[in-house]
Amino acid sequence: MNRIARTAAPLLALGLAAGACSPAGSTSGSSEEGKAEITFLTFETPNLDAKYWDGAIARAEKKVPGVSVKKLVAPSTDRTGYAKQLLASGQFPDVMIAVSPSGFAESGNLAAWTDKELAPFTFPHSNPIGGKIYQLPYNTQPTPLVYYSKDKFKKAGVAAPPKTYQELLDDSAKLKKAGINPFVVGGGGKDAFAASFLWTALVGTDVYKKTPDWMVQRRADEAKFADADFKGATDKFVQLVKMGYVDKAGLSRDYAATERAFLGGKGAMYPMGTWFATAADKNAMKDDIGVFPFPTDDGSPAVPSYTGGGMSVNAKSQHVALAKKFALAFQQDRRNLDAVVKSDGAIIAMKGYTPPDDMGPVYTATAKVYDDAVKDKGIVNAFLVETGDDSLLPGMVEKSYAFAQDVIAGRKNADQVTQALDEDKRRGRRAVLDEGAGVGGADPASALFSGHGGTPLLVGWRR
């Protein structure tokens, strides 16, 4: 994700609001009403605006007597980067949502969730760090699927969505010949992550489908980015650009502008996370939008997905127990869940939950693609989205976004990207061993923490 300017003024203002007497690493205290006040770091987007968060917080507060919640809003989509700033300034929030736990957990700054607390969740042990869970796994988002314009496919003579990668190439050639841009992508400004979705898809189909624990092997130096499978997936990304199938203008567009570009007819296909479904269902174009999983060479399913995105709790908060109760109440509130499904296209990973009956056609089609992949055992990890023991080392996610931008701009090929990733991984491992504790200090694994761009959750919360 994008870097946040490390200016003193926002932190000073936040510090004055939180209270100068709070202990380092925590902003909790007592409210004027005699209730325990906890701070909650969240974010606002066009889909999840202030009204949504205020209502959701109020409902959860009512279920936890004795707690008062102070909302903190991250100034950009990089909530993880902002949380690091708050930690460094002694203002780490009591509760946070969709903040990557990597680094925070290893340095002892997050409270682990117990099996009893995780019992309501469908996949309770998603994204473990050192065998423990530090972020509630309440939301699954395939990232990416491919949304497409049925009308543009028809105009180019494409009868149906591609089932194999070769069919995808053939269809892209038809679209280009018809004067239609095949892929709309983003990646400009603060939203560098949006350049990476084709790469995420290709690593899912060509690497993780074949070797589900590939990233675990890479972290153990039993595999290399420059090995054939990963380099081959990266080269497919490079070749899509070279063939003119990827709109390079996307590098000047932030996330919102990229979404507008697709909905405005600037291209036929849009690789994006499932949160796009609800934005599509609110658009006049909704009946023209279809969705398919990015195809593998042989046509078997491989849908990159991430389950997580929920709340984490500050282990050093004055009110850990109350913070946990609030987080669980927030995540299990039916109206909160319905609201995030309707506003952000979430596929809720909570036992017994069913989405509202009035969801639109794009969300319904999106959920079917995911459900079919689950039935066919076609779910794989999502490269650059993982946040647990099988994720990239701290410091490498943001660099990978930059590499994706370089590929789209034509500045780097597969050899250059994979060699650079291997070198970054080697330097990162050496730094972890040599530098000792990083921000928050208790664990050598956090040595590179200050350079970690991080991913939320859940990629869907990046807008």
Side-chain angles (χ1 to χ4, degrees):
M1 286 191 175
N2 58 300
R3 293 180 176 86
I4 298 176
R6 294 180 181 270
T7 56
L11 292 178
L12 176 60
L14 221 163
L16 292 173
C21 62
S22 296
S26 174
T27 55
S28 57
S30 297
S31 67
E32 293 181 2
E33 296 81 11
K35 295 182 178 180
E37 182 180 86
I38 62 173
T39 51
F40 174 28
L41 176 62
T42 185
F43 57 96
E44 293 176 0
T45 72
N47 289 354
L48 299 171
D49 57 13
K51 183 179 179 181
Y52 162 76
W53 290 111
D54 291 343
I57 289 169
R59 285 189 291 273
E61 270 184 325
K62 290 180 180 178
K63 296 183 178 181
V64 186
V67 70
S68 174
V69 177
K70 181 179 180 61
K71 181 179 71 172
L72 307 178
V73 180
S76 80
T77 55
D78 187 6
R79 298 168 298 283
T80 300
Y82 189 58
K84 288 186 289 185
Q85 293 187 48
L86 296 178
L87 177 60
S89 65
Q91 300 172 94
F92 198 46
D94 299 291
V95 184
M96 62 217 81
I97 192 165
V99 168
S100 171
S102 297
F104 294 112
E106 294 91 332
S107 58
N109 286 292
L110 294 181
W113 295 99
T114 68
D115 286 344
K116 182 178 180 180
E117 291 166 335
L118 293 168
F121 299 87
T122 308
F123 306 108
H125 297 107
S126 296
N127 303 298
I129 296 176
K132 297 181 179 180
I133 305 301
Y134 295 92
Q135 184 184 55
L136 292 176
Y138 91 109
N139 182 351
T140 297
Q141 288 185 316
T143 307
L145 298 177
V146 183
Y147 294 90
Y148 71 99
S149 165
K150 299 173 186 176
D151 181 63
K152 284 182 168 49
F153 269 34
K154 183 177 180 181
K155 287 180 179 177
V158 178
K163 296 292 181 65
T164 67
Y165 187 70
Q166 185 59 53
E167 289 178 4
L168 177 71
L169 296 179
D170 295 342
D171 292 345
S172 296
K174 292 177 182 178
L175 288 161
K176 186 179 179 183
K177 185 177 181 179
I180 300 169
N181 170 46
F183 283 104
V184 175
V185 300
K190 66 186 186 303
D191 294 330
F193 70 88
S196 65
F197 288 131
L198 283 171
W199 196 12
T200 296
L202 287 160
V203 171
T205 59
D206 288 23
V207 183
Y208 292 170
K209 174 74 172 177
K210 178 180 179 181
T211 311
D213 66 341
W214 189 91
M215 191 60 74
V216 174
Q217 294 183 30
R218 181 63 196 93
R219 286 179 67 114
D221 287 325
E222 295 171 0
K224 302 291 183 185
F225 291 108
D227 289 349
D229 287 344
F230 193 94
K231 186 164 70 173
T234 304
D235 189 56
K236 281 186 175 181
F237 182 24
V238 171
Q239 296 307 317
L240 285 173
V241 174
K242 284 188 174 181
M243 288 184 283
Y245 297 159
V246 178
D247 179 14
K248 293 188 178 184
L251 292 180
S252 66
R253 294 189 292 245
D254 63 12
Y255 174 84
T258 308
E259 183 176 283
R260 289 195 299 270
F262 176 68
L263 293 173
K266 300 297 185 182
M269 293 181 284
Y270 183 40
M272 187 47 62
T274 53
W275 56 87
F276 170 68
T278 49
D281 278 328
K282 296 173 184 176
N283 191 274
M285 185 182 168
K286 65 181 180 181
D287 291 326
D288 180 45
I289 298 174
V291 59
F292 62 90
F294 197 92
T296 58
D297 286 338
D298 64 4
S300 60
V303 175
S305 298
Y306 176 88
T307 298
M311 289 192 175
S312 299
V313 169
N314 180 353
K316 299 175 184 178
S317 167
Q318 294 181 50
H319 307 293
V320 172
L322 279 174
K324 279 192 162 190
K325 287 180 180 179
F326 170 77
L328 289 166
F330 186 103
Q331 303 274 223
Q332 295 180 77
D333 183 88
R334 172 76 195 205
R335 288 179 64 187
N336 287 358
L337 295 175
D338 285 353
V340 77
V341 170
K342 288 185 175 183
S343 63
D344 217 43
I347 297 175
I348 299 299
M350 301 285 290
K351 294 175 182 177
Y353 178 82
T354 55
D357 293 334
D358 59 347
M359 297 303 294
V362 183
Y363 178 87
T364 301
T366 295
K368 185 178 187 307
V369 170
Y370 172 74
D371 289 342
D372 288 347
V374 171
K375 292 175 185 176
D376 293 337
K377 298 182 179 180
I379 300 298
V380 298
N381 282 351
F383 174 59
L384 301 180
V385 184
E386 311 103 319
T387 61
D389 291 333
D390 56 359
S391 65
L392 283 168
L393 281 176
M396 295 183 67
V397 173
E398 190 174 49
K399 291 179 181 179
S400 296
Y401 296 153
F403 290 149
Q405 291 175 315
D406 287 340
V407 168
I408 293 174
R411 294 189 291 260
K412 280 187 170 61
N413 60 31
D415 283 328
Q416 292 169 319
V417 169
T418 54
Q419 288 172 13
L421 283 171
D422 278 327
E423 178 60 18
D424 280 339
K425 199 271 183 184
R426 184 184 66 80
R427 283 198 299 261
R429 176 67 68 188
R430 186 176 64 236
V432 167
L433 293 174
D434 291 347
E435 295 179 24
V439 175
D443 193 311
S446 66
L448 283 186
F449 186 70
S450 60
H452 181 36
T455 55
L457 71 52
L458 176 86
V459 91
W461 298 75
R462 294 184 192 180
R463 277 109 30 250

